[in-house]
């Protein structure tokens, strides 16, 4: 333990309320590695603010946006018994959820929640969203009107000749001008450009970098978080080892204001340590709670479920199980490639196809019965195997006919019986092929 942390542990008094503003910008499907490849100007402007930290071990908790951002915003895991009984997870409305912005509102912050693509927003895709306006600044009606006017051109990246990213950033600009020096909490999520093709993220670079530069003063004195919700989910790259990692490891970058680090100099020490540890959205949520309560006192106890990223050290040996990362999204496991012609692999592929068809069977009048076309890759996950148990976990990538869909999933064999385990990820684009299945959140 460093001298800085020891000194702060000796001073356990909680500071008075500091009201540090928080500005969060989420870019759909942005992995950390794609950020390094595609957003060079943005990276330069962000890092020029100084006091920046990258959580290089942050791993997603689920496949897509909704079940990753729910724990980020509420501390509750989707698809679990933790979800409030009075809220229908797949339908909403979600007004009764314990969103972090409610805590900021209760402490006098002005709040904003801005998304650009109204049909595919976090809480409105195949769901009812909110009955009441969830935050102070919620321009969803504006984006609905844009989509209505655009009609069939709603998928265009521009509106009346203006890039939608500029309209989105202008709304953030208006909010920042309105709040002036008052404390604020902003959660903004830009969806459209990078949702279906991660290679298009570079199209956002000049726009976001310009925004950061123009709002340098406010961002410099705020906690500024630049992040993805998850990594790349579609494309041939996902069939590679690096694509598998990128899918699971989104960008999480955080700038801290100088005054906060001067007052609590242990924050930097912990963030540097934890930047290379296994972390999740649950840890980030807990860290945001510290801001609400202005509680930056170091914590000496060990946890499992979640850690404050700047108040305590995440253990080096933290496992995916302890961090609540599902096995099929864990990047810590060792894998061994196995022949796609292995009888066990062939059996696992059939089990996977049968599971997919079982899901589709509810809409069998609309959806084709799928048949295995090819086993594209197969691995045995070595580190998962519990001691003393005769269990083998396979991770396979298959393609099927007639849809030409490519799926990745894990299948567990125990006592000569196999079952598919965890989420099934479709890793090539599907267009409207999934329209017959309406019970899964994007």
């Amino acid at each position: 333990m460093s001298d800085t942390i020891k000194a702060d542990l000796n001073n356990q008094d909680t500071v008075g309320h500091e009201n540090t503003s928080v500005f969060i910008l989420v870019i759909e499907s942005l992995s950390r590695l794609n950020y390094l490849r595609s957003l060079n100007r943005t990276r330069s402007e962000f890092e020029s603010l100084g006091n920046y930290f990258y959580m290089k071990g942050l791993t997603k908790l689920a496949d897509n946006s909704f079940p990753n951002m729910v724990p980020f915003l509420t501390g509750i895991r989707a698809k679990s018994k933790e979800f409030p009984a009075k809220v229908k997870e797949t339908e909403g409305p979600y007004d009764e959820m314990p969103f972090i912005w409610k805590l900021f509102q209760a402490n006098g912050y002005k709040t904003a929640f801005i998304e650009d693509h109204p049909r595919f927003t976090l809480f409105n895709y195949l769901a009812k969203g909110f009955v009441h306006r969830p935050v102070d600044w919620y321009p969803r009606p504006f984006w609905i009107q844009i989509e209505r006017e655009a009609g069939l051109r709603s998928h265009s990246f521009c509106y009346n000749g203006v890039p939608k990213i500029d309209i989105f950033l202008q709304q953030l600009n208006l909010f920042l001008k309105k709040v002036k020096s008052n404390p604020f909490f902003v959660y903004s999520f830009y969806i459209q450009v990078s949702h279906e093709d991660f290679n298009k993220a570079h199209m956002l670079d000049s726009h976001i970098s310009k925004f950061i530069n123009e709002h340098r003063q406010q961002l410099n004195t705020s906690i500024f978080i630049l992040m993805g919700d998850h990594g790349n989910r579609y494309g041939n790259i996902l069939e590679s080892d690096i694509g598998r990692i990128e899918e699971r490891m989104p960008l999480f970058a955080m700038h801290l204001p100088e005054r906060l680090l001067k007052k609590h100099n242990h924050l930097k020490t912990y963030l540097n340590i934890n930047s290379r540890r296994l972390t999740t959205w649950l840890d980030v949520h807990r860290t945001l709670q510290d801001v609400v309560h202005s509680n930056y006192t170091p914590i000496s106890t060990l946890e499992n479920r979640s850690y404050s990223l700047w108040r305590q050290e995440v253990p080096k040996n933290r496992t995916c199980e302890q961090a609540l990362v599902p096995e099929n999204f864990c990047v810590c496991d060792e894998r061994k490639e196995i022949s796609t012609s292995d009888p066990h692999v062939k059996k696992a592929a059939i089990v996977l196809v049968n599971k997919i068809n079982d899901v589709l069977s509810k809409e069998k009048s609309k959806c084709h019965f799928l048949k295995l076309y090819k086993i594209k890759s197969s691995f045995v996950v070595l580190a998962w195997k519990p001691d003393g148990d005769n269990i083998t976990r396979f991770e396979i990538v298959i393609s099927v006919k007639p849809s030409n869909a490519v799926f990745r999933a894990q299948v567990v064999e125990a006592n000569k019986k196999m079952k598919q385990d965890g989420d099934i990820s479709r890793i090539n684009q599907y267009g409207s092929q999934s329209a017959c299945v309406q019970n899964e959140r994007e």
Side-chain angles (χ1 to χ4, degrees):
M1 185 179 295
S2 72
D3 292 337
T4 298
I5 295 174
K6 287 179 181 178
D8 284 317
L9 279 171
N10 291 330
N11 181 12
Q12 293 291 321
D13 293 333
T14 302
V15 299
H17 212 81
E18 298 182 31
N19 288 337
T20 304
S21 293
V22 178
F23 186 96
I24 301 168
L25 175 56
V26 186
I27 306 298
E28 171 72 49
S29 303
L30 185 64
S31 69
R32 187 178 69 86
L33 294 181
N34 196 26
Y35 163 76
L36 296 177
R37 287 193 302 266
S38 303
L39 299 179
N40 293 324
R41 293 182 185 179
T42 298
R43 179 187 177 190
S44 177
E45 289 292 343
F46 176 80
E47 293 183 357
S48 72
L49 296 173
N51 302 327
Y52 60 87
F53 306 87
Y54 292 99
M55 295 295 108
K56 298 177 181 178
L58 193 140
T59 304
K60 70 178 186 176
L61 290 167
D63 190 28
N64 45 37
S65 301
F66 180 82
N68 280 295
M69 292 297 93
V70 165
F72 174 90
L73 291 169
T74 69
I76 292 172
R77 289 183 299 157
K79 301 180 181 179
S80 73
K81 295 180 180 179
E82 299 169 10
F83 225 80
K86 55 187 174 183
V87 179
K88 293 183 179 180
E89 180 175 346
T90 59
E91 298 179 21
Y94 300 99
D95 300 70
E96 299 301 318
M97 293 287 288
F99 291 107
I100 190 73
W101 57 64
K102 292 182 179 181
L103 296 178
F104 281 99
Q105 282 177 320
N107 281 282
Y109 282 68
K110 296 299 181 183
T111 55
F113 177 21
I114 302 175
E115 299 169 288
D116 67 298
H117 207 11
R119 280 184 293 171
F120 298 100
T121 54
L122 282 175
F123 302 103
N124 295 90
Y125 179 70
L126 302 178
K128 299 174 183 177
F130 302 97
V131 175
H132 304 288
R133 186 180 65 187
V135 291
D136 298 314
W137 179 253
Y138 186 58
R140 175 172 168 77
F142 173 87
W143 290 98
I144 291 174
Q145 183 60 29
I146 280 185
E147 187 169 80
R148 285 173 180 166
E149 292 182 15
L152 295 176
R153 296 178 289 105
S154 62
H155 287 288
S156 169
F157 296 156
C158 296
Y159 173 72
N160 287 343
V162 179
K164 289 180 182 176
I165 179 63
D166 283 344
I167 299 173
F168 176 83
L169 294 173
Q170 179 61 19
Q171 290 186 327
L172 291 171
N173 172 60
L174 289 172
F175 177 80
L176 292 177
K177 283 185 176 180
K178 188 72 174 178
V179 297
K180 297 180 181 178
S181 60
N182 295 311
F184 59 82
F185 174 86
V186 174
Y187 180 77
S188 58
F189 194 145
Y190 190 76
I191 302 167
Q192 189 175 22
V193 168
S194 54
H195 180 260
E196 295 184 2
D197 186 354
F198 69 92
N199 285 313
K200 291 180 179 176
H202 72 91
M203 297 170 63
L204 304 174
D205 194 23
S206 62
H207 305 273
I208 296 174
S209 61
K210 181 181 178 183
F211 176 84
I212 295 173
N213 183 54
E214 290 178 347
H215 296 84
R216 176 173 298 276
Q217 184 174 354
Q218 276 179 296
L219 295 176
N220 205 26
T221 56
S222 305
I223 295 171
F224 175 25
I225 295 173
L226 182 63
M227 55 180 271
D229 52 338
H230 48 70
N232 323 329
R233 289 183 56 218
Y234 308 116
N236 293 336
I237 190 175
L238 267 72
E239 297 181 37
S240 67
D241 286 341
I242 193 65
R244 178 179 180 271
I245 292 172
E246 284 202 42
E247 178 198 18
R248 290 155 171 76
M249 305 191 78
L251 169 70
F252 185 82
M254 179 164 58
H255 156 79
L256 298 187
E258 182 67 24
R259 64 170 181 80
L260 197 62
L261 289 177
K262 283 185 176 180
K263 194 167 187 178
H264 313 285
N265 53 8
H266 62 274
L267 302 184
K268 182 176 182 179
T269 304
Y270 279 123
L271 285 168
N272 282 328
I273 292 171
N274 293 332
S275 68
R276 295 182 178 273
R277 303 288 168 85
L278 172 60
T279 54
T280 74
W281 297 127
L282 292 170
D283 301 316
V284 177
H285 179 80
R286 183 165 182 178
T287 305
L288 289 175
Q289 287 182 314
D290 294 340
V291 183
V292 175
H293 303 298
S294 291
N295 186 3
Y296 301 104
T297 304
I299 303 171
S300 57
T301 57
L302 290 178
E303 313 285 343
N304 273 330
R305 177 187 173 87
S306 64
Y307 288 82
S308 171
L309 297 176
W310 51 28
R311 293 206 292 144
Q312 60 190 141
E313 182 176 343
V314 177
K316 282 184 179 180
N317 60 350
R318 189 187 196 188
T319 65
C320 287
E321 182 179 13
Q322 291 170 338
L324 301 178
V325 176
E327 188 62 38
N328 54 315
F329 297 127
C330 184
V331 294
C332 302
D333 286 340
E334 183 180 353
R335 300 187 308 156
K336 179 181 179 181
E337 190 167 11
I338 183 173
S339 172
T340 56
S341 61
D342 183 281
H344 295 277
V345 172
K346 290 182 177 180
K347 183 179 178 182
I350 295 299
V351 168
L352 174 55
V353 174
N354 288 342
K355 176 64 175 181
I356 297 170
N357 280 323
D358 182 57
V359 174
L360 297 177
S361 66
K362 299 171 185 176
E363 299 286 352
K364 59 184 178 181
S365 63
K366 302 177 184 178
C367 299
H368 283 289
F369 182 84
L370 301 179
K371 294 183 179 180
L372 178 65
Y373 176 66
K374 184 179 181 180
I375 303 173
K376 307 192 78 168
S377 67
S378 53
F379 294 84
V380 172
V381 182
L382 300 177
W384 182 85
K385 189 183 297 183
D387 293 335
D389 288 347
N390 185 24
I391 295 177
T392 304
R393 179 172 287 261
F394 299 94
E395 183 170 293
I396 57 176
V397 175
I398 65 169
S399 60
V400 297
K401 291 291 186 180
S403 64
N404 294 318
V406 179
F407 296 101
R408 177 193 283 121
Q410 293 192 354
V411 176
V412 174
E413 182 177 30
N415 299 319
K416 298 183 179 180
K417 294 183 179 180
M418 285 190 177
K419 68 174 183 177
Q420 189 275 322
D421 185 61
D423 287 346
I424 301 172
S425 299
R426 177 161 180 174
I427 60 176
N428 65 334
Q429 291 185 351
Y430 51 83
S432 61
Q433 288 182 354
S434 66
C436 63
V437 181
Q438 293 292 312
N439 63 343
E440 290 295 326
R441 298 296 310 276
E442 172 63 10

